[in-house]
């Protein structure tokens, strides 16, 4: 497969980023140090260029109907300028993708999906678009900058008349930003550090990038790579598609019951409801290492007698805590916080404790 | 990129410095840069004989874990204890304070099969 470039690729190279292929794109994984970048976002402000993410517009009288049928959360509850985390269940019990649904206004929605799933999601949603909603893939035209950290709002407020502090979490505004019209300013992110995500047409992206860095200079704003993005999201216990959820994991097992609404019909709702009533046999949990060691994707999770009870789906050293943390599926019996489990770290059984994220 | 000319290198990015019948082993500047922030050095082979090219431990970065391969056959005499509390020394000074193990070398001729600085430079395309 050809590796695609994001529009500001050359700028990141110039900034000293180490570029690696991720989800079909060459992406900045690190500019200086993962830990330093992680701390910049927790304590100050940093900017991720996540322009690899996919964006679909869904418009017209049948837009909401299509979204309701393919997603698990209830998009009819959205007010104008509100967003919601959701997922696309498949018909085999798993998840096609997780996504954010933005309601611009009636009959005008934006779906933001994972870069690695753009084609799969497009085919899936198109296949269910039997009523003629106007569906358009605008991924190649949109740049997305996640400006995250406690100093993000002070940075961004200098660039817009829109009162950012009045925009609540998972709400957004469309307006002029850094002299560019029709920019989406969304109080969302994947870090738990606060801040906004800025969606802009690629033709204005470089201008906006520089405006954000000028505005953030007094806060020592820095570019942040995907490495720190992963440790930041993991400290919050946020799922990563392809690791913690995939085509085979049930939304209920993944702890996504809160975005699975049986008040409406959607793909595979009957089976998922049945699973809810019967109870799931395994659950995605957070855990932190008691013994010294770092859990990694695919390491086995065992009980005290050495029986395998699941697998690590994401793991890292937490830069904030200085210990290993992770997410993984375990049997329901050992899924409650405080349960003692063991992670098989290259043949050694290291003690860990189940806990409820966020870790920090 | 720092690639000292007085060291020998493996294709797996370890360096070795021979000193009589002992040797010091670490990972290269290139390796630490690729790994990113190193947070844990896991070496449990002290006192053991390890054959050339066999694993003698692992190095854990924030994002990844990588095996460490022995450049020369020998007995692991010592692990750099500084790395226990300050694994970041491997990032800061991979050929100095960030050395990893001291080895009693079994056969000094092992180093003849290793890469010179120039050959290693070519390997990593620098």
């Amino acid at each position: 497969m050809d590796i695609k470039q994001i529009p500001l690729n050359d700028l990141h190279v110039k900034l000293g980023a180490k570029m690696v292929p991720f989800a079909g794109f060459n992406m900045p994984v690190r500019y200086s140090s993962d830990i330093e970048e992680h701390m910049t976002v927790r304590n100050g402000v940093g900017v991720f260029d996540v322009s690899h993410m996919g964006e679909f517009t869904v418009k017209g009288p049948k837009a909401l109907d299509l979204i309701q049928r393919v997603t698990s959360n209830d998009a009819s509850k959205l007010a104008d300028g509100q967003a919601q985390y959701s997922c696309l269940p498949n018909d085999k019990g798993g998840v096609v993708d997780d996504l954010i649904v933005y309601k611009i206004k009636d009959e005008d929605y934006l779906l933001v999906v994972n870069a690695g799933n753009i084609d799969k999601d497009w085919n899936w949603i198109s296949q269910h678009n039997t009523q003629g909603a106007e569906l358009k893939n605008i991924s190649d035209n949109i740049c997305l900058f996640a400006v995250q950290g406690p100093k993000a709002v002070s940075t961004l407020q200098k660039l817009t008349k829109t009162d950012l502090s009045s925009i609540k979490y998972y709400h957004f505004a469309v307006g002029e930003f850094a002299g560019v019209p029709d920019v989406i300013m969304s109080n969302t992110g994947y870090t738990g550090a606060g801040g906004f995500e800025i969606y802009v047409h690629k033709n204005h992206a470089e201008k906006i990038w520089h405006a954000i860095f000028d505005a953030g200079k007094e806060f020592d704003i820095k570019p942040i790579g995907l490495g720190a993005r992963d440790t930041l999201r993991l400290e919050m216990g946020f799922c990563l598609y392809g690791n913690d959820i995939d085509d085979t994991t049930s939304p209920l097992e993944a702890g996504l019951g809160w975005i699975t609404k049986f008040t409406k019909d959607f793909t595979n709702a009957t089976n998922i409801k049945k699973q809810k009533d019967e109870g799931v046999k395994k659950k995605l949990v957070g855990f932190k290492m008691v013994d010294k060691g770092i859990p990694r994707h695919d390491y086995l999770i065992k009980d005290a007698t050495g029986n395998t009870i699941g697998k690590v789906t994401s793991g890292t050293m937490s830069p904030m805590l200085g210990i290993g943390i992770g997410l993984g599926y375990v049997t329901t019996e050992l899924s409650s916080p405080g349960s003692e489990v063991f992670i098989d770290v290259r043949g050694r059984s290291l003690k860990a404790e189940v806990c409820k994220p966020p870790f920090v | 990129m720092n690639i000292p000319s007085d060291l020998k290198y493996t294709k797996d990015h370890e360096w070795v410095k021979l000193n009589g019948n002992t040797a010091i082993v670490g990972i290269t500047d290139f390796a630490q840069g690729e790994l990113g922030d190193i947070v844990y050095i896991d070496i449990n082979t002290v006192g053991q004989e390890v054959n050339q090219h066999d694993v003698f431990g692992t190095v854990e970065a924030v994002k990844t874990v990588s095996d460490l391969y022995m450049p020369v056959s020998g007995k692991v005499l010592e692990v750099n204890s500084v790395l226990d509390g300050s694994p970041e020394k491997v990032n800061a000074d991979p050929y100095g304070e960030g050395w990893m193990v001291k080895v009693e070398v079994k056969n000094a001729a092992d180093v003849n099969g290793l890469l010179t600085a120039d050959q290693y430079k070519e390997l990593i395309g620098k």
Side-chain angles (χ1 to χ4, degrees):
Chain A
M1 188 175 70
D2 279 348
I3 299 289
K4 289 167 85 171
Q5 286 194 354
I6 52 174
L8 300 191
N9 180 80
D10 295 355
L11 177 79
H12 299 301
V13 172
K14 217 183 291 170
L15 287 169
K18 177 178 162 56
M19 305 295 285
V20 300
F22 176 83
F25 291 80
N26 255 326
M27 295 297 292
V29 68
R30 176 190 313 133
Y31 298 83
S32 59
S33 130
D34 296 320
I35 295 177
E36 211 175 286
E37 290 171 26
H38 184 106
M39 292 308 182
T40 295
V41 173
R42 284 272 176 261
N43 300 324
V45 54
V47 186
F48 305 82
D49 185 345
V50 281
S51 300
H52 61 320
M53 299 290 284
E55 293 87 11
F56 304 154
T57 55
V58 192
K59 295 185 185 184
K62 296 296 179 187
L64 179 61
D65 170 71
L66 173 62
I67 292 167
Q68 289 292 68
R69 280 187 292 118
V70 295
T71 66
S72 61
N73 208 339
D74 189 352
S76 72
K77 301 278 194 247
L78 288 172
D80 295 359
Q82 192 178 4
Q84 84 183 169
Y85 181 57
S86 193
C87 78
L88 303 172
N90 65 24
D91 48 13
K92 297 184 174 63
V95 175
V96 179
D97 201 3
D98 61 344
L99 77 166
I100 298 181
V101 178
Y102 286 84
K103 182 179 183 185
I104 316 276
K105 56 180 191 290
D106 281 347
E107 304 187 9
D108 189 357
Y109 294 84
L110 177 72
L111 310 182
V112 179
V113 304
N114 283 299
N117 292 336
I118 292 173
D119 293 342
K120 184 175 75 163
D121 294 354
W122 177 258
N123 292 336
W124 179 260
I125 297 170
S126 299
Q127 183 190 319
H128 288 81
N129 186 18
T130 49
Q131 305 295 313
E134 300 155 34
L135 193 57
K136 207 167 152 190
N137 180 359
I138 58 168
S139 304
D140 287 344
N141 290 328
I142 302 296
C143 280
L144 172 54
F145 302 139
V147 186
Q148 300 281 298
K151 296 294 181 195
V153 173
S154 311
T155 298
L156 298 173
Q157 191 61 70
K158 296 180 189 177
L159 301 170
T160 180
K161 291 199 176 78
T162 303
D163 178 15
L164 297 176
S165 63
S166 70
I167 301 174
K168 287 181 289 186
Y169 193 49
Y170 268 80
H171 285 70
F172 64 100
V174 186
E176 191 174 302
F177 181 88
V180 177
D182 300 324
V183 173
I184 297 180
M185 296 162 264
S186 169
N187 184 349
T188 47
Y190 194 43
T191 64
F196 276 71
E197 295 187 297
I198 306 294
Y199 295 83
V200 60
H201 192 280
K202 66 175 175 188
N203 292 349
H204 304 294
E206 187 152 7
K207 176 184 169 177
I208 284 205
W209 175 276
H210 290 303
I212 293 170
F213 275 80
D214 285 344
K217 202 171 267 173
E218 64 166 310
F219 307 117
D220 209 11
I221 194 167
K222 289 198 175 77
I224 313 294
L226 290 187
R229 187 170 172 82
D230 192 49
T231 51
L232 286 157
R233 70 96 191 168
L234 204 38
E235 281 187 341
M236 299 310 293
F238 295 149
C239 287
L240 173 63
Y241 192 90
N243 278 37
D244 313 302
I245 48 175
D246 61 30
D247 293 303
T248 67
T249 56
S250 144
L252 300 181
E253 290 169 354
L256 299 180
W258 63 282
I259 60 162
T260 307
K261 302 289 165 63
F262 299 108
T263 47
K264 57 156 208 173
D265 192 30
F266 59 92
T267 316
N268 208 31
T270 314
N271 288 325
I272 299 174
K273 177 74 172 45
K274 189 165 162 245
Q275 190 180 41
K276 188 188 175 180
D277 294 340
E278 290 171 356
V280 294
K281 293 189 176 62
K282 59 176 183 173
K283 280 186 181 173
L284 183 67
V285 296
F287 62 87
K288 53 186 176 193
M289 299 305 298
V290 177
D291 289 337
K292 189 170 176 175
I294 303 170
R296 305 284 181 186
H297 183 68
D298 272 351
Y299 283 6
L300 295 179
I301 306 177
K302 300 186 168 183
D303 65 13
T305 55
N307 296 314
T308 299
I309 55 164
K311 256 185 192 177
V312 176
T313 51
S314 291
T316 189
M317 203 274 306
S318 158
M320 290 290 280
L321 302 177
I323 58 167
I325 59 169
L327 299 176
Y329 285 91
V330 298
T331 49
T332 303
E333 300 80 62
L334 283 169
S335 66
S336 42
S339 301
E340 186 181 270
V341 294
F342 294 83
I343 312 299
D344 186 335
V345 177
R346 299 181 296 278
R348 275 183 300 157
S349 220
L350 302 182
K351 196 190 286 183
E353 184 190 319
V354 173
C355 55
K356 194 174 159 54
F359 293 98
V360 298
Chain B
M1 185 67 53
N2 184 9
I3 307 173
S5 57
D6 59 334
L7 305 178
K8 290 288 200 128
Y9 299 87
T10 69
K11 291 190 173 95
D12 304 303
H13 313 287
E14 288 84 14
W15 57 263
V16 58
K17 184 175 191 174
L18 209 54
N19 186 5
N21 68 340
T22 62
I24 300 291
V25 175
I27 65 168
T28 65
D29 192 20
F30 176 76
Q32 68 79 19
E34 291 293 303
L35 288 167
D37 290 316
I38 290 164
V39 292
Y40 185 33
I41 315 294
D42 193 4
I43 299 173
N44 299 299
T45 47
V46 176
Q48 294 177 24
E49 300 275 349
V50 181
N51 287 327
Q52 189 179 28
H53 307 310
D54 280 358
V55 173
F56 69 90
T58 54
V59 53
E60 299 247 22
V62 174
K63 294 307 304 163
T64 185
V65 54
S66 184
D67 283 331
L68 297 165
Y69 295 93
M70 195 59 98
V72 289
S73 297
K75 185 174 170 183
V76 180
L77 298 174
E78 184 187 341
V79 177
N80 182 1
S81 58
V82 170
L83 302 184
D84 202 25
S86 304
E88 70 278 3
K89 295 281 187 201
V90 179
N91 292 114
D93 189 9
Y95 303 111
E97 279 189 283
W99 65 274
M100 289 185 170
V101 291
K102 191 174 178 183
V103 183
E104 186 181 277
V105 180
K106 211 167 164 185
N107 179 8
D110 278 356
V111 295
N112 297 337
L114 299 177
L115 305 175
T116 64
D118 282 343
Q119 287 166 332
Y120 181 68
K121 204 176 287 182
E122 202 175 315
L123 176 82
I124 61 174
K126 296 291 166 183

